[in-house]
Amino acid sequence: MAHGTVAVNGNARKPKVLIPEKVSPDGLALLQASLEVHERKGLSPEDLLQIIGEYDALIVRSETKVNAALLAAGKNLRVVARAGVGVDNVDLQAATKLGIIVVNSPQGNINAAAEHTIALLMAVARNVGVASASLKAGKWERSRLVGIEVKGKTLAILGLGKVGLTVARAAGGLGMDLIAYDPYANPALAASANVEILPTMDEVFEQADFMTVHTPMIASTKGMIGETELSKMKKTARILNVARGGIIDEAALLAALEAGTIAGAGIDVFTSEPPKPDDTASKLIAHPAVVATPHLGASTMEAQENVSIDVCTQVLSILSGQLPRSAVNAPIILPEEYRTLQPFVVLLEKMGSLFTQHFSPANTRQQLRTTFDLTYEGSLASANTTKPLFAALLKGMLSPITSAESLNINIVNAELVAKERGILINESRSREALEQEGFAASVTLRARLDPRSPSASRTIRSDPMADATNSSSRKKKIEDQVITGFVSNNTPYISRLGRFTTSFVPEGTILIGRNYDEPGKIGVVGGRLGKAGVNIRSMSVAPIEGDGDALLKVDSVLESAPTPQKEALMILGVDRAVEENVRKSLVTEDGLLEASIVVL
Ligand SMILES: NC(=O)c1ccc[n+]([C@@H]2O[C@H](COP(=O)([O-])OP(=O)(O)OC[C@H]3O[C@@H](n4cnc5c(N)ncnc54)[C@H](O)[C@@H]3O)[C@@H](O)[C@H]2O)c1
Ligand SMILES: O=C(O)[C@H](O)COP(=O)(O)O
């Protein structure tokens, strides 16, 4: 059915859309012809709950709390559109369960957020806020309000994604030197913006005259700038946050400003918005060295026009049965492919996430590899399409480092997203039968060390010989970052991880430990986990792949070990999160050589 009408009790009616917040009229105008558009600002949550049942679409910004109760009351709701990026105010899980598509506008306000960052940068450098307040109070304080210039100063960018790069280009125009920390940044894009990517966060904090934060707000970035990080900054340094409240620990920032260990801050976002009078954020806002704005990053006429047109176009698409451009929770797989590919979609998503978490820079002290070989083996080599598998792998790879709203990956946009992120995945098919292994199909993901081809983000080779021909010349360049998986009885399994053969279900919180293959290791690890209140639910021990007796020769750290020793991998499913100090406590002479925690 077209979006012109929907059938209610056999009677056709125009679909209805509710807009309870200020959304630019430019997009709403697109809806008027075919939908009944109701702009109803100032509704209480109770009012909203009362009327939501009448509507087919809901368009919001960040203030409306689209919680599970509201979604459940929305009997006719097919789409919730967020006119902006952040979907923190939408219960995504509940929406997905109810089959309601949530869309957003991931690009529409990037420039506005970047320009706002530059506004805060200049305001902090030149005391614009204090000076304006002082003048309005009838004072003329020229000597007290001497500022600094930004030209020639070092701007450190934490998170070199869409906003971070736009800030970099503008700040480069102001004559600033640019450095960044972002383990997952696209090096080519960084170089094109004259940004030097530094390998550690410490170096970035030490060198910054100005630091600006543009990471997503996810578990790994929450409070990532605290007392320790701030103490590494120059006393003359200033810090900016136009990303999300809570990435910088507000109490630590206030303490650093009060102690004079940093010189100033420009803040647009807060842990709780609007901050309550007793919140630390309110003390921060009141501090004379702080320039603060009430979450205005996206508040420009242009950005509001962009996001409004973007989401309204998507509302029209969804109501007419088409795939939207930026659905936060859209299905990766079309119904007709569901039966055959769905279990492998799950496997590939898990493999991608496992790759990022296990082989992440935190564990290996290396950057995430950005060129991969993905081989479909056995019956999977004859699949009509591998697009959903490619999309699932990419989604899995990015999920541990990306907020939900930026993770809108589906079969329509996966290749483009990979290209934007600088991730090159070469797909190939190998029809060799796998029957002897006990399952019909498997998938192998292998990271490459060799220089990457800059052109395509997805290439497919169906000739298995192509791999064989090149394999010997490439062998030395390919390192141990390999994962193989298969599906049995609709359950995904990992059968190889790095140099180790294994068999485990990638599900829940898993501790992966590499150790010398000696008695007593499991006892040591189990004891230390037990002491920290962590129960082991499942366990498997994996020898080195292909040759359980192989001696350790490959790892550079261990090459320098006095006598080569056998190694094994310990894979423990645990019942709760393992704190960083507990993980570290496992890496000792009598314990593990290396430990990573992954959540799958
Ligand atoms: N104030 C506003 O009104 C406003 C407007 C738009 C966007 N935002 C916020 O700005 C932020 C950036 O948005 P974006 O569109 O550029 O996102 P993005 O996903 O394009 O970029 C985020 C970058 O952060 C990097 N990153 C992830 N974890 C990291 C870590 N631990 N250390 C260093 N880098 C890490 C990622 O690799 C990525 O390059 C988001 O938090 C977004 O919600 C705020
Ligand atoms: O997530 C976003 O898009 C920005 O933070 C802006 O939010 P807003 O639409 O409430 O201004």
Side-chain angles (χ1 to χ4, degrees):
M1 184 180 301
H3 55 71
T5 57
V6 291
V8 180
N9 298 333
N11 303 316
R13 66 159 176 83
K14 268 186 174 185
K16 284 171 143 186
V17 52
L18 176 65
I19 302 115
E21 288 188 65
K22 171 88 189 111
V23 172
S24 165
D26 307 79
L28 302 185
L30 302 173
L31 307 177
Q32 310 283 359
S34 53
L35 310 182
E36 219 180 292
V37 178
H38 293 180
E39 288 182 79
R40 301 273 307 267
K41 286 179 216 66
L43 290 174
S44 69
E46 294 73 30
D47 295 341
L48 200 54
L49 208 58
Q50 284 286 312
I51 62 167
I52 193 69
E54 297 169 31
Y55 292 93
D56 303 281
L58 173 69
I59 303 181
V60 299
R61 286 182 60 188
S62 57
E63 287 181 22
T64 309
K65 304 288 171 248
V66 188
N67 54 27
L70 185 66
L71 290 164
K75 298 279 179 250
N76 293 316
L77 264 189
R78 289 166 64 189
V79 49
V80 171
R82 159 67 163 109
V85 187
V87 287
D88 338 35
N89 53 322
V90 181
D91 188 330
L92 282 181
Q93 225 182 343
T96 307
K97 256 193 204 157
L98 293 164
I100 299 168
I101 297 186
V102 180
V103 297
N104 71 346
S105 176
Q107 304 280 350
N109 58 30
I110 301 302
N111 191 62
E115 285 191 10
H116 196 69
T117 308
I118 299 293
L120 290 185
L121 171 87
M122 296 310 303
V124 169
R126 300 302 291 268
N127 304 310
V128 174
V130 183
S132 175
S134 152
L135 191 56
K136 283 174 198 269
K139 298 180 196 162
W140 189 257
E141 301 186 286
R142 282 164 41 91
S143 54
R144 185 173 80 89
L145 296 169
V146 175
I148 57 162
E149 292 182 21
V150 299
K151 186 178 173 190
K153 300 288 190 312
T154 296
L155 176 67
I157 302 166
L158 199 60
L160 199 62
K162 295 186 286 294
V163 178
L165 268 168
T166 312
V167 168
R169 293 192 188 106
L174 293 170
M176 299 190 82
D177 295 329
L178 305 169
I179 57 174
Y181 175 74
D182 183 337
Y184 321 106
N186 180 337
L189 286 179
S192 74
N194 294 321
V195 182
E196 184 190 355
I197 299 182
L198 299 186
T200 66
M201 217 161 73
D202 280 2
E203 287 169 78
V204 162
F205 278 97
E206 284 157 18
Q207 293 181 30
D209 294 309
F210 291 86
M211 157 79 74
T212 184
V213 182
H214 300 291
T215 65
M217 173 62 157
I218 46 180
S220 58
T221 59
K222 190 171 179 215
M224 79 188 289
I225 305 179
E227 193 187 336
T228 316
E229 290 71 27
L230 292 168
S231 72
K232 296 194 170 102
M233 297 186 81
K234 297 175 188 174
K235 280 190 167 171
T236 51
R238 282 122 170 122
I239 194 162
L240 312 169
N241 186 4
V242 183
R244 278 290 179 267
I247 299 173
I248 306 179
D249 180 320
E250 286 168 344
L253 178 57
L254 182 62
L257 288 164
E258 281 172 347
T261 51
I262 69 164
I267 312 285
D268 184 48
V269 283
F270 305 91
T271 43
S272 152
E273 295 181 359
K276 298 187 183 61
D278 288 342
D279 288 352
T280 307
S282 298
K283 297 191 184 93
L284 206 50
I285 292 164
H287 194 282
V290 172
V291 178
T293 48
H295 201 146
L296 291 182
S299 293
T300 62
M301 300 296 288
E302 295 83 350
Q304 288 310 308
E305 247 177 69
N306 292 342
V307 297
S308 173
I309 291 172
D310 190 351
V311 297
C312 288
T313 310
Q314 297 191 66
V315 166
L316 288 175
S317 291
I318 291 167
L319 293 181
S320 56
Q322 291 160 28
L323 264 183
R325 195 175 31 237
S326 305
V328 179
N329 62 346
I332 273 181
I333 195 158
L334 294 172
E336 61 269 25
E337 292 159 352
Y338 195 88
R339 220 181 222 292
T340 38
L341 283 186
Q342 172 63 13
F344 288 95
V345 164
V346 176
L347 172 68
L348 268 288
E349 198 170 331
K350 300 277 187 184
M351 283 172 64
S353 179
L354 175 62
F355 185 93
T356 302
Q357 294 182 68
H358 181 60
F359 296 122
S360 76
N363 298 325
T364 62
R365 306 271 166 241
Q366 296 163 1
Q367 290 224 331
L368 184 68
R369 293 285 170 272
T370 48
T371 301
F372 299 92
D373 289 318
L374 181 63
T375 313
Y376 306 109
E377 292 138 337
S379 63
L380 206 53
S382 332
N384 286 339
T385 174
T386 54
K387 271 189 173 200
L389 304 181
F390 178 92
L393 177 73
L394 189 68
K395 190 172 180 187
M397 278 179 169
L398 295 178
S399 61
I401 56 168
T402 311
S403 55
E405 62 263 24
S406 296
L407 202 63
N408 25 43
I409 295 170
N410 55 44
I411 49 172
V412 180
N413 65 11
E415 288 181 43
L416 187 71
V417 173
K419 202 167 185 172
E420 277 174 6
R421 290 286 194 147
I423 298 174
L424 181 73
I425 301 173
N426 297 306
E427 291 174 285
S428 64
R429 298 167 181 234
S430 164
R431 288 193 174 79
E432 244 170 69
L434 296 170
E435 252 62 72
Q436 70 281 10
E437 309 266 359
F439 45 88
S442 69
V443 190
T444 295
L445 174 70
R446 183 185 293 273
R448 278 203 218 167
L449 273 181
D450 52 348
R452 47 202 303 260
S453 135
S455 52
S457 60
R458 181 170 185 255
T459 61
I460 302 182
R461 273 179 280 113
S462 54
D463 174 10
M465 287 314 289
D467 248 5
T469 327
N470 293 332
S471 68
S472 58
S473 60
R474 272 213 317 258
K475 218 165 207 160
K476 282 202 190 85
K477 295 177 190 162
I478 295 171
E479 63 152 29
D480 308 319
Q481 298 190 348
V482 185
I483 301 177
T484 300
F486 68 95
V487 174
S488 176
N489 286 332
N490 279 337
T491 306
Y493 286 88
I494 300 300
S495 55
R496 177 176 174 185
L497 186 57
R499 289 172 285 130
F500 302 90
T501 47
T502 176
S503 180
F504 69 94
V505 178
E507 183 75 57
T509 303
I510 299 175
L511 168 80
I512 302 172
R514 185 166 61 88
N515 57 284
Y516 287 131
D517 198 2
E518 293 166 350
K521 298 290 184 193
I522 293 167
V524 171
V525 172
R528 283 180 201 159
L529 288 176
K531 225 167 141 192
V534 178
N535 278 328
I536 298 175
R537 283 193 163 154
S538 64
M539 189 181 87
S540 74
V541 178
I544 285 177
E545 193 233 3
D547 179 3
D549 292 328
L551 295 181
L552 185 64
K553 302 181 192 85
V554 189
D555 192 294
S556 58
V557 177
L558 294 156
E559 256 174 355
S560 60
T563 43
Q565 265 179 285
K566 278 192 286 185
E567 271 196 352
L569 209 60
M570 194 186 284
I571 293 137
L572 307 177
V574 294
D575 70 340
R576 66 189 61 191
V578 178
E579 300 291 335
E580 180 56 11
N581 61 328
V582 178
R583 185 192 70 81
K584 279 187 177 156
S585 76
L586 304 173
V587 185
T588 53
E589 216 164 284
D590 59 342
L592 302 175
L593 295 160
E594 205 172 68
S596 71
I597 311 291
V598 298
V599 182
L600 297 166

